[in-house]
Amino acid sequence: INLSHNELQLLPSTFVQLTQLSELQFENNQVGKFPVNTFLKISQLTVVNGSRNRLTEIPPEIRHLRQLTKLDLGHNLIKILPSEIGDLERLKRL
């Protein structure tokens, strides 16, 4: 799903119902945080691109994205990477 360049401040909570979603693109918006339990519900993601937003943290639930190969959250307000990033064995690009 591509939600890029839409001036979104929040990710739509309904997209987490797409349990087989493999790519989440929401770069160049104004998103400040991920919806609660996002990564528990869409755990099949292989690509997450949320660069150029206003994210301040990566939730620890990211560890459930066992298929994730690319994570791009550059140009946000994130200061600390959670240790759970280390659980993502397939991650090739951070």
Side-chain angles (χ1 to χ4, degrees):
I1 188 167
N2 191 333
L3 303 171
S4 303
H5 305 278
N6 284 297
E7 300 183 17
L8 297 174
Q9 293 180 355
L10 298 170
L11 290 173
S13 59
T14 53
F15 87 90
V16 297
Q17 296 171 0
L18 305 171
T19 58
Q20 298 303 308
L21 190 66
S22 63
E23 292 193 18
L24 174 58
Q25 308 274 350
F26 65 100
E27 69 268 14
N28 291 297
N29 281 293
Q30 299 174 24
V31 177
K33 64 180 181 177
F34 290 98
V36 175
N37 296 325
T38 297
F39 300 130
L40 293 174
K41 297 176 181 175
I42 51 173
S43 61
Q44 297 301 312
L45 287 172
T46 59
V47 174
V48 174
N49 184 347
S51 63
R52 301 185 186 279
N53 276 280
R54 294 183 178 174
L55 295 168
T56 57
E57 65 180 4
I58 302 171
E61 293 83 19
I62 196 158
R63 72 178 173 274
H64 295 285
L65 299 183
R66 299 289 184 190
Q67 306 302 315
L68 194 66
T69 58
K70 180 182 176 191
L71 175 63
D72 186 352
L73 297 176
H75 301 279
N76 277 286
L77 304 173
I78 299 167
K79 294 183 181 179
I80 298 173
L81 290 177
S83 61
E84 290 82 2
I85 292 275
D87 295 336
L88 304 175
E89 297 176 0
R90 295 185 183 208
L91 189 62
K92 295 178 183 173
R93 294 184 65 193
L94 175 62

